[in-house]
Amino acid sequence: MQTAQSTIDPTEVAKFEAMAAEWWDPNGKFKPLHMLNPCRLDYITTQIAAEFDRDLTGEAPFQGLRLLDIGCGGGLLSEPMARLGADVVGADAAPRNIPVAQVHAAQSGLDIDYRHTTAEDLAAAGERFDAVLNMEVVEHVPDPLAYLTACHALLRPGGLHICSTINRNPKSFAMAIVGAEYVMRWLPKGTHEWSKFITPDELIALLGQAGLDPVDRKGFLFNPVTWQWRLSDRDLSVNYVTTSLRPA
């Protein structure tokens, strides 16, 4: 088993820890995630419902499912999953994010198990989940393969892994770094490093090497006129998301 330090970059952790108090400000430094959240939630809930034969129109459709939100931040994904009935563990390597998430969950009347820990430590402790959400994290770790291998270990056979990240090409540099950090100033300068971005083909290969079976991938497209995001079957040129299974 890899040690926790193998997939944790202290510099990356420090970036997000410095922004911890702003997680739930829709106009703050995490504004891009607040804007993207409805679109990615639609993708996540649809994938989970299809895999586990759940009716999203019913009450607490994810009841009985144990779900891990790795890199949970302030809980922007953990809370909707808990509202849908899932037993949620939210994990983050930045210690200051955890109390922010805990306080907000308590204010919202939600019971979420937030922990300052890593994927490796959870796997070493024998934790297992029906689904692992791995959203906008893999581009911040120094060893993506070791990290994804730990995510594989955290899944029960037949479990679902959903991973989103940013493509690496001139368009993603222009939009995710120049546009988001320098022009719109949605994120502090230096939040992302273009060299750490991962192309869809690279991610699919890494998932396969980690023992996961990729079954779907889609792009997230931003409309600058409506200021809304939508899913695309074809355009994965900037933000994109994948779904994989741990073979039963």
Side-chain angles (χ1 to χ4, degrees):
M1 179 62 63
Q2 298 283 335
T3 63
Q5 290 301 314
S6 66
T7 65
I8 296 300
D9 185 335
T11 303
E12 294 290 335
V13 171
K15 289 179 188 177
F16 290 92
E17 192 168 45
M19 298 184 280
E22 299 196 46
W23 271 104
W24 288 96
D25 180 359
N27 296 307
K29 293 176 181 176
F30 293 102
K31 182 175 181 177
L33 282 183
H34 282 272
M35 294 167 61
L36 177 58
N37 221 33
C39 185
R40 65 179 186 169
L41 276 170
D42 179 52
Y43 181 84
I44 290 166
T45 55
T46 299
Q47 292 294 320
I48 295 175
E51 182 60 31
F52 296 102
D53 194 22
R54 301 302 175 97
D55 180 4
L56 288 172
T57 64
E59 184 177 352
F62 292 169
Q63 188 169 10
L65 296 178
R66 191 165 192 249
L67 181 145
L68 172 65
D69 180 11
I70 191 77
C72 64
L76 299 187
L77 287 175
S78 294
E79 291 201 6
M81 295 299 106
R83 289 192 181 95
L84 288 169
D87 176 11
V88 178
V89 173
D92 205 290
R96 287 180 58 195
N97 284 338
I98 299 304
V100 173
Q102 289 172 328
V103 168
H104 197 274
Q107 291 172 341
S108 303
L110 296 171
D111 182 14
I112 299 173
D113 182 3
Y114 284 116
R115 309 181 195 178
H116 169 222
T117 188
T118 66
E120 288 78 16
D121 287 344
L122 286 166
E127 298 276 1
R128 296 294 181 268
F129 300 88
D130 298 294
V132 170
L133 305 186
N134 177 9
M135 312 297 284
E136 290 85 46
V137 177
V138 70
E139 71 270 23
H140 296 287
V141 302
D143 189 341
L145 178 56
Y147 172 66
L148 292 171
T149 299
C151 290
H152 168 274
L154 287 163
L155 284 168
R156 294 170 177 154
L160 193 71
H161 175 261
I162 300 179
C163 178
S164 65
T165 189
I166 306 174
N167 202 340
R168 187 182 68 257
N169 54 38
K171 183 177 179 181
S172 69
F173 181 83
M175 296 185 67
I177 294 181
V178 176
E181 297 182 14
Y182 288 82
V183 178
M184 301 305 293
R185 297 182 181 179
W186 285 337
L187 295 167
K189 295 175 183 177
T191 297
H192 290 111
E193 294 181 40
W194 184 78
S195 62
K196 290 186 176 181
F197 290 172
I198 302 172
T199 70
D201 287 344
E202 289 170 346
L203 182 57
I204 293 300
L206 286 167
L207 290 165
Q209 292 175 55
L212 293 163
D213 181 15
V215 295
D216 187 68
R217 59 181 179 177
K218 286 185 170 56
F220 290 128
L221 296 187
F222 179 67
N223 187 325
V225 176
T226 63
W227 279 61
Q228 292 180 328
W229 292 82
R230 66 177 177 85
L231 291 168
S232 171
D233 290 325
R234 298 182 179 180
D235 192 341
L236 283 69
S237 58
V238 185
N239 297 78
Y240 67 97
V241 61
T242 64
T243 296
S244 304
L245 295 172
R246 173 170 176 167

